Amino acid sequence: RRGPAGAQLAGACRDVAAGAAPRSPHWLAAWHGLARSAWTDEQADALSELLAGTGVPQALRWDALTRLVSLGRAGEQHIAAESAVDPDPDAGQSAAVARAAADTPEAKRAALDALLAPDGMPIGALPRLAGGLWQPHQHDLLTGVMGDFLDRLPQAILDGGPARAMRLTRWCFPSFGLGPEQIERVRRLAADPALLEVARTALADQAVLAERRARAATLPG
C-alpha cells in the first residue's frame, strides 16, 4: 500500500477495472482495490474521474475519496460535498474516516480522540476509522501518534468495556511502523493485570505480529 509495491498493486487493480463490466463483481473489487492502494498521479486521477461519474456505489465513492484525501488530492470541501449527497444515516461516520486520512497533525489528533473516547464513535465503525487514521505512506507523521495511541490505550480499554477493548486492540491496531521500543511497550501492556483479559490476549498477538513484520522488513529483496 505504499511506494513501488503499492503502485504495482494499484496498477493491476486499474487494469482489471478497465477490462471488467461496469458494476460487476470484478469491477467493484478492482476499484475498491485501487481506492485503497492508489499511489501515482495517474492512479489518483483515475479515482477523481470515477468520482466525477454517475452510478458509482456510495461505499466505493467514500473509499475513493478517502484515498484522495490521504494523498492530498482532496480536502474538507470534497468531504462536505459527498456528505451532502449521501442519504445513508451513517454518512457522518464515512466523513470522519475520510477526515482521519488527511496528512495533517490536526486530522490525526482528532481521529485518535474519536477512536479512543468511549463515546467517540459507534463500536462497529472503529475499524474503519482506524483504517483512515493509520495510512502507511504517512509513517513519519504517525510516529508520534502511535506513541500517543499506546499512552492512552490502557485508559480507553478500562473506559470502554470488553467489546470496545476487543475492537481497539484487535482491529484498530496499526499494522506498520512499530519499532523495538514500541513492540516492548505492547508486550508490557499485554502483561498488565489491570487490563481486561480479552485486550491482553489481543495485545500479545499484536506484539508477535509486529515483531514478525519487523523481521520481514530486513529480509533481502
Side-chain angles (χ1 to χ4, degrees), residues 65-119:
L65 180 56
T66 298
R67 187 64 180 181
L68 290 173
V69 170
S70 79
L71 295 172
R73 295 283 299 264
E76 180 57 38
Q77 69 274 26
H78 303 93
I79 296 171
E82 198 64 39
S83 299
V85 299
D86 184 358
D88 194 311
D90 293 334
Q93 296 175 19
S94 298
V97 172
R99 291 187 180 100
D103 192 9
T104 68
E106 295 78 15
K108 299 309 181 187
R109 283 196 296 268
L112 190 63
D113 288 346
L115 185 69
L116 296 178
D119 56 354

mmCIF file of all heavy atoms in Angstrom, residues 65-119:
data_model
loop_
_atom_site.group_PDB
_atom_site.id
_atom_site.type_symbol
_atom_site.label_atom_id
_atom_site.label_comp_id
_atom_site.label_asym_id
_atom_site.label_seq_id
_atom_site.Cartn_x
_atom_site.Cartn_y
_atom_site.Cartn_z
ATOM 1 N N LEU A 65 -12.660 8.652 -2.219
ATOM 2 C CA LEU A 65 -12.430 9.979 -1.657
ATOM 3 C C LEU A 65 -11.439 9.917 -0.495
ATOM 4 O O LEU A 65 -10.558 10.778 -0.371
ATOM 5 C CB LEU A 65 -13.751 10.589 -1.200
ATOM 6 C CG LEU A 65 -13.660 11.985 -0.582
ATOM 7 C CD1 LEU A 65 -12.996 12.975 -1.526
ATOM 8 C CD2 LEU A 65 -15.052 12.490 -0.173
ATOM 9 N N THR A 66 -11.565 8.901 0.344
ATOM 10 C CA THR A 66 -10.646 8.766 1.471
ATOM 11 C C THR A 66 -9.204 8.635 0.983
ATOM 12 O O THR A 66 -8.282 9.247 1.541
ATOM 13 C CB THR A 66 -11.032 7.552 2.332
ATOM 14 O OG1 THR A 66 -12.342 7.754 2.870
ATOM 15 C CG2 THR A 66 -10.051 7.341 3.473
ATOM 16 N N ARG A 67 -8.998 7.854 -0.076
ATOM 17 C CA ARG A 67 -7.636 7.718 -0.599
ATOM 18 C C ARG A 67 -7.125 9.041 -1.158
ATOM 19 O O ARG A 67 -5.964 9.410 -0.953
ATOM 20 C CB ARG A 67 -7.602 6.641 -1.685
ATOM 21 C CG ARG A 67 -6.205 6.297 -2.182
ATOM 22 C CD ARG A 67 -5.379 5.687 -1.067
ATOM 23 N NE ARG A 67 -4.028 5.354 -1.516
ATOM 24 C CZ ARG A 67 -3.114 4.790 -0.756
ATOM 25 N NH1 ARG A 67 -3.394 4.496 0.494
ATOM 26 N NH2 ARG A 67 -1.913 4.520 -1.217
ATOM 27 N N LEU A 68 -7.987 9.752 -1.864
ATOM 28 C CA LEU A 68 -7.570 11.045 -2.407
ATOM 29 C C LEU A 68 -7.235 12.032 -1.287
ATOM 30 O O LEU A 68 -6.278 12.801 -1.401
ATOM 31 C CB LEU A 68 -8.672 11.606 -3.307
ATOM 32 C CG LEU A 68 -8.882 10.866 -4.629
ATOM 33 C CD1 LEU A 68 -10.114 11.404 -5.353
ATOM 34 C CD2 LEU A 68 -7.653 10.993 -5.530
ATOM 35 N N VAL A 69 -8.000 12.005 -0.213
ATOM 36 C CA VAL A 69 -7.683 12.860 0.932
ATOM 37 C C VAL A 69 -6.314 12.490 1.499
ATOM 38 O O VAL A 69 -5.488 13.350 1.811
ATOM 39 C CB VAL A 69 -8.771 12.745 2.018
ATOM 40 C CG1 VAL A 69 -8.339 13.430 3.310
ATOM 41 C CG2 VAL A 69 -10.083 13.361 1.529
ATOM 42 N N SER A 70 -6.051 11.195 1.624
ATOM 43 C CA SER A 70 -4.778 10.749 2.199
ATOM 44 C C SER A 70 -3.595 11.160 1.336
ATOM 45 O O SER A 70 -2.484 11.335 1.843
ATOM 46 C CB SER A 70 -4.782 9.230 2.383
ATOM 47 O OG SER A 70 -4.523 8.543 1.170
ATOM 48 N N LEU A 71 -3.819 11.302 0.027
ATOM 49 C CA LEU A 71 -2.755 11.700 -0.900
ATOM 50 C C LEU A 71 -2.687 13.207 -1.099
ATOM 51 O O LEU A 71 -1.879 13.689 -1.894
ATOM 52 C CB LEU A 71 -2.981 11.020 -2.261
ATOM 53 C CG LEU A 71 -2.867 9.489 -2.266
ATOM 54 C CD1 LEU A 71 -3.301 8.934 -3.626
ATOM 55 C CD2 LEU A 71 -1.455 9.035 -1.931
ATOM 56 N N GLY A 72 -3.524 13.951 -0.392
ATOM 57 C CA GLY A 72 -3.531 15.402 -0.535
ATOM 58 C C GLY A 72 -4.218 15.881 -1.788
ATOM 59 O O GLY A 72 -4.044 17.041 -2.190
ATOM 60 N N ARG A 73 -5.034 15.023 -2.407
ATOM 61 C CA ARG A 73 -5.707 15.374 -3.663
ATOM 62 C C ARG A 73 -7.163 15.789 -3.441
ATOM 63 O O ARG A 73 -7.865 16.106 -4.398
ATOM 64 C CB ARG A 73 -5.648 14.184 -4.626
ATOM 65 C CG ARG A 73 -4.259 13.804 -5.091
ATOM 66 C CD ARG A 73 -3.754 14.769 -6.145
ATOM 67 N NE ARG A 73 -4.609 14.752 -7.307
ATOM 68 C CZ ARG A 73 -4.358 14.018 -8.402
ATOM 69 N NH1 ARG A 73 -3.270 13.266 -8.461
ATOM 70 N NH2 ARG A 73 -5.168 14.054 -9.447
ATOM 71 N N ALA A 74 -7.636 15.762 -2.220
ATOM 72 C CA ALA A 74 -8.995 16.206 -1.893
ATOM 73 C C ALA A 74 -8.961 16.708 -0.451
ATOM 74 O O ALA A 74 -8.041 16.395 0.313
ATOM 75 C CB ALA A 74 -10.009 15.074 -2.052
ATOM 76 N N GLY A 75 -9.985 17.498 -0.090
ATOM 77 C CA GLY A 75 -9.996 18.102 1.230
ATOM 78 C C GLY A 75 -11.390 18.230 1.799
ATOM 79 O O GLY A 75 -12.335 17.572 1.348
ATOM 80 N N GLU A 76 -11.527 19.128 2.763
ATOM 81 C CA GLU A 76 -12.771 19.258 3.507
ATOM 82 C C GLU A 76 -13.953 19.605 2.610
ATOM 83 O O GLU A 76 -15.066 19.118 2.833
ATOM 84 C CB GLU A 76 -12.608 20.323 4.595
ATOM 85 C CG GLU A 76 -13.847 20.541 5.451
ATOM 86 C CD GLU A 76 -14.336 19.270 6.129
ATOM 87 O OE1 GLU A 76 -13.486 18.469 6.554
ATOM 88 O OE2 GLU A 76 -15.563 19.083 6.217
ATOM 89 N N GLN A 77 -13.725 20.433 1.581
ATOM 90 C CA GLN A 77 -14.851 20.797 0.717
ATOM 91 C C GLN A 77 -15.400 19.582 -0.031
ATOM 92 O O GLN A 77 -16.618 19.466 -0.234
ATOM 93 C CB GLN A 77 -14.446 21.903 -0.282
ATOM 94 C CG GLN A 77 -13.470 21.484 -1.366
ATOM 95 C CD GLN A 77 -12.026 21.595 -0.925
ATOM 96 O OE1 GLN A 77 -11.716 21.526 0.262
ATOM 97 N NE2 GLN A 77 -11.130 21.787 -1.889
ATOM 98 N N HIS A 78 -14.519 18.655 -0.401
ATOM 99 C CA HIS A 78 -14.964 17.441 -1.089
ATOM 100 C C HIS A 78 -15.699 16.510 -0.130
ATOM 101 O O HIS A 78 -16.696 15.883 -0.500
ATOM 102 C CB HIS A 78 -13.768 16.721 -1.705
ATOM 103 C CG HIS A 78 -12.972 17.567 -2.650
ATOM 104 N ND1 HIS A 78 -11.875 18.288 -2.236
ATOM 105 C CD2 HIS A 78 -13.119 17.817 -3.975
ATOM 106 C CE1 HIS A 78 -11.377 18.933 -3.278
ATOM 107 N NE2 HIS A 78 -12.107 18.678 -4.339
ATOM 108 N N ILE A 79 -15.213 16.422 1.116
ATOM 109 C CA ILE A 79 -15.881 15.589 2.112
ATOM 110 C C ILE A 79 -17.269 16.138 2.414
ATOM 111 O O ILE A 79 -18.255 15.387 2.497
ATOM 112 C CB ILE A 79 -15.033 15.524 3.399
ATOM 113 C CG1 ILE A 79 -13.690 14.843 3.124
ATOM 114 C CG2 ILE A 79 -15.791 14.789 4.503
ATOM 115 C CD1 ILE A 79 -12.713 14.920 4.283
ATOM 116 N N ALA A 80 -17.373 17.463 2.566
ATOM 117 C CA ALA A 80 -18.673 18.076 2.831
ATOM 118 C C ALA A 80 -19.637 17.858 1.674
ATOM 119 O O ALA A 80 -20.826 17.568 1.882
ATOM 120 C CB ALA A 80 -18.495 19.573 3.099
ATOM 121 N N ALA A 81 -19.143 17.962 0.451
ATOM 122 C CA ALA A 81 -19.992 17.766 -0.716
ATOM 123 C C ALA A 81 -20.493 16.328 -0.794
ATOM 124 O O ALA A 81 -21.664 16.082 -1.125
ATOM 125 C CB ALA A 81 -19.222 18.131 -1.988
ATOM 126 N N GLU A 82 -19.605 15.381 -0.489
ATOM 127 C CA GLU A 82 -20.021 13.970 -0.533
ATOM 128 C C GLU A 82 -21.025 13.669 0.567
ATOM 129 O O GLU A 82 -21.988 12.925 0.360
ATOM 130 C CB GLU A 82 -18.793 13.072 -0.403
ATOM 131 C CG GLU A 82 -19.016 11.637 -0.847
ATOM 132 C CD GLU A 82 -19.334 11.525 -2.335
ATOM 133 O OE1 GLU A 82 -18.738 12.261 -3.150
ATOM 134 O OE2 GLU A 82 -20.206 10.684 -2.672
ATOM 135 N N SER A 83 -20.814 14.246 1.741
ATOM 136 C CA SER A 83 -21.757 14.048 2.840
ATOM 137 C C SER A 83 -23.140 14.563 2.482
ATOM 138 O O SER A 83 -24.163 13.973 2.861
ATOM 139 C CB SER A 83 -21.257 14.762 4.101
ATOM 140 O OG SER A 83 -20.019 14.254 4.531
ATOM 141 N N ALA A 84 -23.186 15.644 1.723
ATOM 142 C CA ALA A 84 -24.460 16.277 1.389
ATOM 143 C C ALA A 84 -25.300 15.425 0.452
ATOM 144 O O ALA A 84 -26.528 15.553 0.440
ATOM 145 C CB ALA A 84 -24.204 17.646 0.760
ATOM 146 N N VAL A 85 -24.661 14.555 -0.339
ATOM 147 C CA VAL A 85 -25.416 13.753 -1.311
ATOM 148 C C VAL A 85 -25.574 12.304 -0.873
ATOM 149 O O VAL A 85 -26.243 11.524 -1.555
ATOM 150 C CB VAL A 85 -24.758 13.808 -2.708
ATOM 151 C CG1 VAL A 85 -24.727 15.237 -3.220
ATOM 152 C CG2 VAL A 85 -23.356 13.215 -2.681
ATOM 153 N N ASP A 86 -24.969 11.937 0.256
ATOM 154 C CA ASP A 86 -25.075 10.558 0.741
ATOM 155 C C ASP A 86 -26.293 10.444 1.643
ATOM 156 O O ASP A 86 -26.335 11.040 2.720
ATOM 157 C CB ASP A 86 -23.801 10.180 1.508
ATOM 158 C CG ASP A 86 -23.813 8.720 1.968
ATOM 159 O OD1 ASP A 86 -24.821 8.024 1.729
ATOM 160 O OD2 ASP A 86 -22.810 8.282 2.562
ATOM 161 N N PRO A 87 -27.305 9.642 1.255
ATOM 162 C CA PRO A 87 -28.523 9.543 2.067
ATOM 163 C C PRO A 87 -28.376 8.627 3.271
ATOM 164 O O PRO A 87 -29.271 8.572 4.119
ATOM 165 C CB PRO A 87 -29.546 8.975 1.077
ATOM 166 C CG PRO A 87 -28.713 8.130 0.140
ATOM 167 C CD PRO A 87 -27.395 8.852 0.007
ATOM 168 N N ASP A 88 -27.272 7.907 3.372
ATOM 169 C CA ASP A 88 -27.091 6.946 4.455
ATOM 170 C C ASP A 88 -27.032 7.676 5.807
ATOM 171 O O ASP A 88 -26.324 8.673 5.947
ATOM 172 C CB ASP A 88 -25.785 6.171 4.240
ATOM 173 C CG ASP A 88 -25.689 4.939 5.131
ATOM 174 O OD1 ASP A 88 -25.929 5.056 6.346
ATOM 175 O OD2 ASP A 88 -25.369 3.848 4.606
ATOM 176 N N PRO A 89 -27.761 7.188 6.814
ATOM 177 C CA PRO A 89 -27.670 7.811 8.142
ATOM 178 C C PRO A 89 -26.255 7.786 8.721
ATOM 179 O O PRO A 89 -25.944 8.586 9.613
ATOM 180 C CB PRO A 89 -28.625 6.963 8.993
ATOM 181 C CG PRO A 89 -29.557 6.325 8.021
ATOM 182 C CD PRO A 89 -28.769 6.103 6.773
ATOM 183 N N ASP A 90 -25.418 6.869 8.231
ATOM 184 C CA ASP A 90 -24.051 6.774 8.714
ATOM 185 C C ASP A 90 -23.061 7.571 7.869
ATOM 186 O O ASP A 90 -21.841 7.359 7.969
ATOM 187 C CB ASP A 90 -23.602 5.303 8.750
ATOM 188 C CG ASP A 90 -24.364 4.488 9.789
ATOM 189 O OD1 ASP A 90 -24.837 5.089 10.769
ATOM 190 O OD2 ASP A 90 -24.480 3.262 9.613
ATOM 191 N N ALA A 91 -23.557 8.491 7.061
ATOM 192 C CA ALA A 91 -22.667 9.293 6.218
ATOM 193 C C ALA A 91 -21.663 10.072 7.061
ATOM 194 O O ALA A 91 -20.513 10.289 6.641
ATOM 195 C CB ALA A 91 -23.478 10.253 5.350
ATOM 196 N N GLY A 92 -22.067 10.487 8.260
ATOM 197 C CA GLY A 92 -21.152 11.213 9.129
ATOM 198 C C GLY A 92 -19.958 10.368 9.533
ATOM 199 O O GLY A 92 -18.835 10.878 9.678
ATOM 200 N N GLN A 93 -20.179 9.064 9.718
ATOM 201 C CA GLN A 93 -19.068 8.171 10.038
ATOM 202 C C GLN A 93 -18.113 8.052 8.852
ATOM 203 O O GLN A 93 -16.886 8.066 9.037
ATOM 204 C CB GLN A 93 -19.600 6.795 10.426
ATOM 205 C CG GLN A 93 -20.433 6.798 11.691
ATOM 206 C CD GLN A 93 -21.052 5.448 11.981
ATOM 207 O OE1 GLN A 93 -20.606 4.421 11.456
ATOM 208 N NE2 GLN A 93 -22.087 5.433 12.796
ATOM 209 N N SER A 94 -18.648 7.943 7.655
ATOM 210 C CA SER A 94 -17.807 7.869 6.458
ATOM 211 C C SER A 94 -17.002 9.148 6.295
ATOM 212 O O SER A 94 -15.821 9.108 5.909
ATOM 213 C CB SER A 94 -18.670 7.631 5.220
ATOM 214 O OG SER A 94 -19.351 6.392 5.304
ATOM 215 N N ALA A 95 -17.611 10.281 6.589
ATOM 216 C CA ALA A 95 -16.893 11.555 6.509
ATOM 217 C C ALA A 95 -15.773 11.607 7.542
ATOM 218 O O ALA A 95 -14.672 12.109 7.261
ATOM 219 C CB ALA A 95 -17.866 12.712 6.717
ATOM 220 N N ALA A 96 -16.023 11.072 8.738
ATOM 221 C CA ALA A 96 -14.985 11.059 9.776
ATOM 222 C C ALA A 96 -13.799 10.200 9.346
ATOM 223 O O ALA A 96 -12.639 10.542 9.615
ATOM 224 C CB ALA A 96 -15.567 10.545 11.088
ATOM 225 N N VAL A 97 -14.061 9.091 8.678
ATOM 226 C CA VAL A 97 -12.987 8.228 8.179
ATOM 227 C C VAL A 97 -12.151 8.988 7.147
ATOM 228 O O VAL A 97 -10.919 8.943 7.177
ATOM 229 C CB VAL A 97 -13.561 6.942 7.574
ATOM 230 C CG1 VAL A 97 -12.461 6.127 6.881
ATOM 231 C CG2 VAL A 97 -14.246 6.103 8.653
ATOM 232 N N ALA A 98 -12.832 9.689 6.237
ATOM 233 C CA ALA A 98 -12.109 10.457 5.222
ATOM 234 C C ALA A 98 -11.270 11.553 5.869
ATOM 235 O O ALA A 98 -10.115 11.772 5.480
ATOM 236 C CB ALA A 98 -13.096 11.046 4.217
ATOM 237 N N ARG A 99 -11.811 12.235 6.851
ATOM 238 C CA ARG A 99 -11.046 13.295 7.530
ATOM 239 C C ARG A 99 -9.833 12.704 8.256
ATOM 240 O O ARG A 99 -8.766 13.329 8.309
ATOM 241 C CB ARG A 99 -11.938 14.030 8.527
ATOM 242 C CG ARG A 99 -13.018 14.881 7.882
ATOM 243 C CD ARG A 99 -13.773 15.722 8.897
ATOM 244 N NE ARG A 99 -14.798 16.516 8.236
ATOM 245 C CZ ARG A 99 -16.084 16.187 8.210
ATOM 246 N NH1 ARG A 99 -16.510 15.096 8.853
ATOM 247 N NH2 ARG A 99 -16.952 16.941 7.560
ATOM 248 N N ALA A 100 -9.990 11.511 8.816
ATOM 249 C CA ALA A 100 -8.887 10.874 9.531
ATOM 250 C C ALA A 100 -7.708 10.571 8.621
ATOM 251 O O ALA A 100 -6.573 10.437 9.088
ATOM 252 C CB ALA A 100 -9.370 9.582 10.190
ATOM 253 N N ALA A 101 -7.961 10.441 7.328
ATOM 254 C CA ALA A 101 -6.905 10.090 6.378
ATOM 255 C C ALA A 101 -6.027 11.277 5.995
ATOM 256 O O ALA A 101 -4.961 11.086 5.400
ATOM 257 C CB ALA A 101 -7.529 9.494 5.117
ATOM 258 N N ALA A 102 -6.440 12.482 6.326
ATOM 259 C CA ALA A 102 -5.683 13.670 5.918
ATOM 260 C C ALA A 102 -4.289 13.669 6.533
ATOM 261 O O ALA A 102 -4.088 13.259 7.675
ATOM 262 C CB ALA A 102 -6.439 14.940 6.316
ATOM 263 N N ASP A 103 -3.348 14.164 5.783
ATOM 264 C CA ASP A 103 -1.933 14.134 6.180
ATOM 265 C C ASP A 103 -1.576 15.382 6.982
ATOM 266 O O ASP A 103 -0.677 16.151 6.609
ATOM 267 C CB ASP A 103 -1.062 14.031 4.923
ATOM 268 C CG ASP A 103 0.384 13.703 5.244
ATOM 269 O OD1 ASP A 103 0.675 13.385 6.408
ATOM 270 O OD2 ASP A 103 1.219 13.762 4.325
ATOM 271 N N THR A 104 -2.280 15.589 8.101
ATOM 272 C CA THR A 104 -2.007 16.744 8.957
ATOM 273 C C THR A 104 -2.047 16.306 10.419
ATOM 274 O O THR A 104 -2.824 15.403 10.780
ATOM 275 C CB THR A 104 -3.036 17.873 8.771
ATOM 276 O OG1 THR A 104 -4.317 17.434 9.264
ATOM 277 C CG2 THR A 104 -3.163 18.260 7.291
ATOM 278 N N PRO A 105 -1.258 16.933 11.277
ATOM 279 C CA PRO A 105 -1.310 16.584 12.712
ATOM 280 C C PRO A 105 -2.700 16.796 13.311
ATOM 281 O O PRO A 105 -3.134 16.005 14.163
ATOM 282 C CB PRO A 105 -0.279 17.520 13.342
ATOM 283 C CG PRO A 105 0.650 17.889 12.232
ATOM 284 C CD PRO A 105 -0.204 17.928 11.000
ATOM 285 N N GLU A 106 -3.381 17.857 12.882
ATOM 286 C CA GLU A 106 -4.705 18.150 13.437
ATOM 287 C C GLU A 106 -5.690 17.026 13.123
ATOM 288 O O GLU A 106 -6.480 16.616 13.991
ATOM 289 C CB GLU A 106 -5.222 19.470 12.879
ATOM 290 C CG GLU A 106 -4.411 20.690 13.280
ATOM 291 C CD GLU A 106 -3.113 20.845 12.490
ATOM 292 O OE1 GLU A 106 -2.966 20.173 11.433
ATOM 293 O OE2 GLU A 106 -2.250 21.629 12.922
ATOM 294 N N ALA A 107 -5.652 16.528 11.893
ATOM 295 C CA ALA A 107 -6.558 15.447 11.497
ATOM 296 C C ALA A 107 -6.274 14.188 12.295
ATOM 297 O O ALA A 107 -7.202 13.480 12.729
ATOM 298 C CB ALA A 107 -6.430 15.178 10.001
ATOM 299 N N LYS A 108 -5.005 13.892 12.495
ATOM 300 C CA LYS A 108 -4.644 12.678 13.227
ATOM 301 C C LYS A 108 -5.039 12.779 14.699
ATOM 302 O O LYS A 108 -5.513 11.805 15.289
ATOM 303 C CB LYS A 108 -3.148 12.404 13.085
ATOM 304 C CG LYS A 108 -2.686 12.181 11.655
ATOM 305 C CD LYS A 108 -3.522 11.135 10.935
ATOM 306 C CE LYS A 108 -3.048 10.903 9.514
ATOM 307 N NZ LYS A 108 -3.953 10.019 8.754
ATOM 308 N N ARG A 109 -4.848 13.945 15.300
ATOM 309 C CA ARG A 109 -5.236 14.111 16.703
ATOM 310 C C ARG A 109 -6.738 13.950 16.875
ATOM 311 O O ARG A 109 -7.198 13.300 17.826
ATOM 312 C CB ARG A 109 -4.777 15.474 17.223
ATOM 313 C CG ARG A 109 -3.285 15.538 17.554
ATOM 314 C CD ARG A 109 -2.981 16.757 18.426
ATOM 315 N NE ARG A 109 -3.249 18.003 17.709
ATOM 316 C CZ ARG A 109 -2.344 18.660 17.004
ATOM 317 N NH1 ARG A 109 -1.124 18.185 16.895
ATOM 318 N NH2 ARG A 109 -2.654 19.793 16.403
ATOM 319 N N ALA A 110 -7.508 14.555 15.961
ATOM 320 C CA ALA A 110 -8.965 14.446 16.053
ATOM 321 C C ALA A 110 -9.412 13.002 15.871
ATOM 322 O O ALA A 110 -10.317 12.524 16.573
ATOM 323 C CB ALA A 110 -9.616 15.348 14.999
ATOM 324 N N ALA A 111 -8.782 12.291 14.934
ATOM 325 C CA ALA A 111 -9.146 10.896 14.699
ATOM 326 C C ALA A 111 -8.797 10.031 15.903
ATOM 327 O O ALA A 111 -9.570 9.144 16.293
ATOM 328 C CB ALA A 111 -8.441 10.376 13.449
ATOM 329 N N LEU A 112 -7.637 10.279 16.504
ATOM 330 C CA LEU A 112 -7.246 9.493 17.671
ATOM 331 C C LEU A 112 -8.189 9.744 18.835
ATOM 332 O O LEU A 112 -8.562 8.818 19.562
ATOM 333 C CB LEU A 112 -5.810 9.840 18.066
ATOM 334 C CG LEU A 112 -5.168 8.934 19.119
ATOM 335 C CD1 LEU A 112 -5.051 7.508 18.596
ATOM 336 C CD2 LEU A 112 -3.801 9.464 19.526
ATOM 337 N N ASP A 113 -8.600 11.008 19.020
ATOM 338 C CA ASP A 113 -9.567 11.323 20.078
ATOM 339 C C ASP A 113 -10.870 10.552 19.862
ATOM 340 O O ASP A 113 -11.436 9.980 20.805
ATOM 341 C CB ASP A 113 -9.854 12.821 20.105
ATOM 342 C CG ASP A 113 -8.692 13.641 20.657
ATOM 343 O OD1 ASP A 113 -7.782 13.056 21.263
ATOM 344 O OD2 ASP A 113 -8.700 14.873 20.458
ATOM 345 N N ALA A 114 -11.352 10.533 18.626
ATOM 346 C CA ALA A 114 -12.605 9.843 18.325
ATOM 347 C C ALA A 114 -12.454 8.337 18.493
ATOM 348 O O ALA A 114 -13.379 7.649 18.944
ATOM 349 C CB ALA A 114 -13.051 10.175 16.901
ATOM 350 N N LEU A 115 -11.283 7.820 18.148
ATOM 351 C CA LEU A 115 -11.049 6.379 18.243
ATOM 352 C C LEU A 115 -11.033 5.910 19.697
ATOM 353 O O LEU A 115 -11.587 4.848 20.026
ATOM 354 C CB LEU A 115 -9.718 6.038 17.575
ATOM 355 C CG LEU A 115 -9.346 4.565 17.472
ATOM 356 C CD1 LEU A 115 -10.258 3.846 16.487
ATOM 357 C CD2 LEU A 115 -7.884 4.401 17.045
ATOM 358 N N LEU A 116 -10.431 6.701 20.589
ATOM 359 C CA LEU A 116 -10.196 6.244 21.958
ATOM 360 C C LEU A 116 -11.255 6.691 22.955
ATOM 361 O O LEU A 116 -11.333 6.136 24.050
ATOM 362 C CB LEU A 116 -8.814 6.727 22.423
ATOM 363 C CG LEU A 116 -7.626 6.142 21.650
ATOM 364 C CD1 LEU A 116 -6.324 6.725 22.165
ATOM 365 C CD2 LEU A 116 -7.608 4.623 21.731
ATOM 366 N N ALA A 117 -12.050 7.685 22.611
ATOM 367 C CA ALA A 117 -13.093 8.127 23.542
ATOM 368 C C ALA A 117 -14.189 7.062 23.631
ATOM 369 O O ALA A 117 -14.578 6.486 22.607
ATOM 370 C CB ALA A 117 -13.690 9.449 23.074
ATOM 371 N N PRO A 118 -14.710 6.780 24.820
ATOM 372 C CA PRO A 118 -15.728 5.731 24.953
ATOM 373 C C PRO A 118 -16.998 6.022 24.175
ATOM 374 O O PRO A 118 -17.738 5.098 23.833
ATOM 375 C CB PRO A 118 -15.987 5.671 26.459
ATOM 376 C CG PRO A 118 -15.483 6.958 27.002
ATOM 377 C CD PRO A 118 -14.350 7.378 26.112
ATOM 378 N N ASP A 119 -17.262 7.298 23.901
ATOM 379 C CA ASP A 119 -18.443 7.655 23.117
ATOM 380 C C ASP A 119 -18.057 8.389 21.832
ATOM 381 O O ASP A 119 -18.867 9.095 21.244
ATOM 382 C CB ASP A 119 -19.387 8.529 23.942
ATOM 383 C CG ASP A 119 -18.696 9.788 24.478
ATOM 384 O OD1 ASP A 119 -17.460 9.912 24.304
ATOM 385 O OD2 ASP A 119 -19.384 10.635 25.065
#
